[in-house]
Amino acid sequence: MRFRTPNSNPQEYATIQLNLSNVYQIPLTITNRVWSLRQAIKACNQALHYFSVKDVPLDYARTQNALASAYSSLSIFEDRVTNLRNAVVAYLEALRFFTPESDRFNYAAVQNNLGNTYDYLAACEDRIDNRQKAIAAYGEVLRFYTAEAAPLDYAMTQANLGTALKNLGDLSAAIAAWREAEKYYRLMGMIAEVGKMRGWIGEVEGKG
């Protein structure tokens, strides 16, 4: 960045800032995690000054996704509600440009991250509304992460969906989602995940 400055090449400068943010988000040492995530957020915000929505909308969306990820990770350590709210705002901004038509797999990935963030936020505030939003986001994911096209992502999304449904109180739908996840984890030979799904199902059925 000493040589790729905003004045000489603004888009390349923004790209370097986005790459820098991604590096800051690699969890190398827990002792520096908060500082690193704050730096990641600063780098994303720098990039957003120079990624034009008009000229490079997908780069802009990728940066919003990275920003949301940093906020979500930072929420583990401090200001949980505020950082999760900021993550939701950034994910929704990314979805203005990651659409099923422009980039369906990034659209699905961001919807999955958004669903997870709504589910985390539901533990802090607006339990019903946020879990309903999480369930809706996972439903969007499953339009594109199908069992045939992306079996692992499909199984993981079904597992997350089941958890959101269970927390909302829809136990029969939660069990159905977990059984679907178990089926594909089994087909992929992921025995530990199969055991986890069976444990969750057994716990809910036992309460029933």
Side-chain angles (χ1 to χ4, degrees):
M1 285 186 290
R2 290 175 55 203
F3 304 100
R4 299 293 188 268
T5 66
N7 292 330
S8 66
N9 195 326
Q11 287 192 8
E12 191 168 350
Y13 173 82
T15 298
I16 294 170
Q17 287 284 3
L18 174 56
N19 292 338
L20 181 62
S21 173
N22 291 333
V23 172
Y24 275 130
Q25 293 191 59
I26 299 171
L28 296 175
T29 58
I30 195 69
T31 54
N32 292 325
R33 193 77 172 118
V34 170
W35 179 85
S36 294
L37 291 168
R38 289 174 180 167
Q39 295 304 307
I41 290 167
K42 288 180 182 178
C44 283
N45 284 325
Q46 278 294 307
L48 289 169
H49 283 303
Y50 301 100
F51 275 146
S52 163
V53 172
K54 179 181 177 181
D55 295 332
V56 284
L58 295 185
D59 287 330
Y60 174 85
R62 274 187 282 273
T63 307
Q64 288 287 356
N65 186 52
L67 178 62
S69 177
Y71 275 128
S72 183
S73 296
L74 187 59
S75 76
I76 297 170
F77 303 101
E78 63 181 21
D79 298 331
R80 185 154 180 79
V81 171
T82 298
N83 282 313
L84 288 173
R85 287 174 180 170
N86 287 339
V88 166
V89 169
Y91 282 134
L92 290 173
E93 183 66 9
L95 288 170
R96 288 179 57 208
F97 304 96
F98 281 150
T99 66
E101 295 74 28
S102 69
D103 192 333
R104 61 178 180 169
F105 286 110
N106 267 323
Y107 171 81
V110 175
Q111 285 283 5
N112 183 67
N113 293 338
L114 179 62
N116 291 340
T117 306
Y118 275 132
D119 202 46
Y120 301 149
L121 193 54
C124 306
E125 63 178 15
D126 299 330
R127 183 181 70 87
I128 293 175
D129 182 56
N130 280 318
R131 290 223 162 93
Q132 288 174 337
K133 289 177 179 177
I135 290 165
Y138 293 138
E140 281 297 295
V141 176
L142 291 170
R143 290 177 56 203
F144 303 97
Y145 283 171
T146 64
E148 296 76 20
L152 178 57
D153 291 316
Y154 174 80
M156 293 172 65
T157 305
Q158 288 284 3
N160 289 337
L161 175 61
T163 299
L165 288 163
K166 181 253 186 183
N167 289 334
L168 197 58
D170 193 342
L171 302 185
S172 60
I175 289 171
W178 286 335
R179 283 185 172 147
E180 190 70 4
E182 179 192 355
K183 174 183 175 181
Y184 286 91
Y185 281 138
R186 188 181 300 280
L187 287 172
M188 289 180 286
M190 300 178 68
I191 304 305
E193 296 303 318
V194 169
K196 184 187 293 185
M197 295 303 102
R198 294 186 68 176
W200 291 353
I201 292 167
E203 180 182 344
V204 170
E205 288 181 333
K207 290 180 180 179

